[in-house]
Amino acid sequence: MNKTVPPFSVISGAQVQQALGGRENEVIDAVAAAYRLHGRGETVNPDSYFLRFPDRPSSRIIALPASVKGDVGVHGIKWISSFPENVAAGIPRASAVLILNDAETGYPFACLESSIISAARTAASAALAARTFSEQRGTRPRRVGFFGVGLIARYLHTYLARGGFAFDEIGVHDLSAEHADGFKGYLERSQEEAGGPASRVTVYDKAEELITSSDLVVFATVAGEPHVTDPAWFAHNPLVLHVSLRDLSPEIVLDSWNAVDDIEHCMKANTSPHLAEQRVGHRDFVAGTLFDALEGRISAPADRPVVFSPFGLGVLDMAVAKYVYDQVAEADQLHTVPDFFHELKRYG
C-alpha cells in the first residue's frame, strides 16, 4: 500500500481564535463526543508528564500525549507551560503548542498555538458538566461566583454564557484586587456588547462571601494546595466547577457529591480528590465520571454540594485541535512549511 507524507502546517493563535470564536456550542459538542469516545475505550490517554525546576518550584511544563479514534482520528501531544511570575511582567501565565500526528503514518501534520485550545477545551468541559449536572438537579444556577480571574475564567464565562446559562448575579474574588477589578470590567464590557439583560457584578473581598453568595462556584486559580477548608461555606449545596483541582480541602471533598473526568488521572499529583483518597484510603466518595453522567449512570443530587473536578484530558485537546484544523483547512487558510520533511528516500 502506498503512503504519502502529509504536508506540515503551522496554525497561529489568531487563526485558532477565529476558528473557535462564536462556535462555543459546537466546541462543547466536540468535547462531549470526545468524552464518549474516551468512556468507550476508543482513546489512549497516558499520564501527563511534568517538567519541574528546582530553582522555580511554582513553574512547570506539562506534556499531554493522547490518541483519539472515531471522527477525530488523530494522535498528538500538547506541551503547555505555566510560569505564574509572567503575570507580574505583563504577559500571560500559560503558553502552549500542540502537535497533531497522522493516524496512518504517524507523521506530524500540524503545529497549533494551544493556549487558546487549552482554555477552550477546559471551558467547554466545565460548561458541559454545568449543563449536565444542572439538568439532573432540576434547576439552573442564577448566581455564579468566579474564584480566580485569569484567561481560563474568561473563557469559562464565555462558554457558560454561550452555552445557555443566564445569571442574575456574578461574583468575583481574587487575591489581587487589581485583577478582580479588571475581570469585573471585562464582565461589564462583555455584557454591554452582548446587548442582553445585564447581571449584577460584585467583587467580594472575602472568599467565604463569594462562595455563600453563589449557586455555581468556579475555581480557576493557580493554587498548589487547599486553601478553602470550611465545609459550612457549602451548606447551601452549590454546584462547584473545581477546574483548578487543588483549592478544596479533603473535608469539603468528602462532604460533597463528587464527579471527575477520569478517576485514575484525577487521583494523583495531590489534587484535592487525591488528598481525600489519602485521608480515607478509598475512592468511594467519587460517584463517577462526566461520561457516566452523560450516559445516565449517575445523577447529581440537589441536596448536597456537587463538585466536578476535571484533571484535563489530552484527548479533549486533540478533539478541539482537530476541529480547529478542519475549520482552517476548509477555509483554505493553512500555512504549510515547504520541504519540512526532507530526508524521505531510504537510500538517498
Side-chain angles (χ1 to χ4, degrees):
M1 181 176 65
N2 292 327
K3 296 182 180 180
T4 60
V5 173
F8 186 79
S9 302
V10 176
I11 298 177
S12 70
Q15 290 178 294
V16 173
Q17 190 171 58
Q18 184 178 20
L20 295 178
R23 297 187 176 99
E24 288 79 9
N25 284 300
E26 292 180 30
V27 177
I28 292 172
D29 289 343
V31 165
Y35 271 127
R36 287 192 166 93
L37 288 169
H38 184 65
R40 293 167 185 162
E42 297 185 56
T43 66
V44 180
N45 200 106
D47 288 343
S48 301
Y49 298 91
F50 288 73
L51 177 61
R52 299 188 183 276
F53 315 97
D55 59 332
R56 305 185 63 156
S58 66
S59 299
R60 64 184 187 268
I61 309 179
I62 311 173
L64 288 82
S67 174
V68 188
K69 293 183 179 180
D71 292 338
V72 181
V74 295
H75 316 309
I77 189 168
K78 181 176 73 171
W79 181 238
I80 181 165
S81 68
S82 174
F83 280 53
E85 295 87 353
N86 286 350
V87 176
I91 62 176
R93 170 187 62 86
S95 58
V97 293
L98 187 148
I99 299 293
L100 289 176
N101 292 72
D102 178 64
E104 180 64 30
T105 65
Y107 271 81
F109 63 89
C111 175
L112 301 88
E113 195 284 331
S114 197
S115 65
I116 296 171
I117 288 172
S118 190
R121 68 86 151 139
T122 300
S125 167
L128 175 65
R131 183 175 69 194
T132 302
F133 295 133
S134 294
E135 289 174 354
Q136 290 182 341
R137 300 177 99 195
T139 182
R140 285 217 168 186
R142 303 296 301 182
R143 304 175 301 165
V144 63
F146 288 91
F147 200 133
V149 295
L151 176 72
I152 298 298
R154 178 155 56 86
Y155 271 75
L156 281 161
H157 169 259
T158 298
Y159 273 75
L160 287 169
R162 301 284 174 82
F165 285 84
F167 301 108
D168 299 323
E169 300 178 24
I170 302 178
V172 177
H173 174 75
D174 194 88
L175 294 179
S176 166
E178 178 185 356
H179 295 161
D181 287 337
F183 192 67
K184 180 176 184 288
Y186 152 75
L187 291 169
E188 292 171 343
R189 288 193 306 274
S190 66
Q191 291 184 134
E192 184 176 342
E193 291 169 1
S199 310
R200 184 176 67 182
V201 181
T202 304
V203 174
Y204 291 95
D205 295 330
K206 296 181 179 180
E208 178 182 2
E209 294 176 349
L210 174 86
I211 293 169
T212 58
S213 300
S214 303
D215 308 315
L216 173 63
V217 184
V218 179
F219 284 97
T221 74
V222 293
E225 59 186 24
H227 54 97
V228 177
T229 60
D230 191 345
W233 294 4
F234 300 83
H236 58 301
N237 301 323
L239 171 58
V240 180
L241 301 177
H242 188 210
V243 174
S244 38
L245 282 176
R246 295 171 178 85
D247 303 273
L248 304 178
S249 69
E251 292 82 4
I252 293 171
V253 172
L254 295 170
D255 199 49
S256 302
W257 185 91
N258 294 275
V260 299
D261 54 359
D262 183 287
I263 293 175
E264 290 299 325
H265 284 272
C266 199
M267 295 298 183
K268 56 173 63 77
N270 288 329
T271 64
S272 295
H274 186 209
L275 294 178
E277 179 190 31
Q278 294 175 56
R279 175 74 58 85
V280 298
H282 61 75
R283 301 175 175 181
D284 296 347
F285 58 88
V286 178
T289 66
L290 180 54
F291 169 72
D292 292 328
L294 292 172
E295 295 292 302
R297 298 172 184 170
I298 61 173
S299 184
D303 59 353
R304 293 183 67 191
V306 170
V307 177
F308 175 60
S309 299
F311 194 78
L313 301 175
V315 296
L316 305 183
D317 294 291
M318 298 308 121
V320 176
K322 183 58 163 50
Y323 176 86
V324 169
Y325 178 87
D326 290 343
Q327 293 292 323
V328 176
E330 185 176 336
D332 197 25
Q333 294 179 347
L334 289 174
H335 300 307
T336 58
V337 180
D339 301 320
F340 185 82
F341 299 107
H342 182 61
E343 283 282 5
L344 298 178
K345 295 183 179 179
R346 186 178 181 87
Y347 301 110

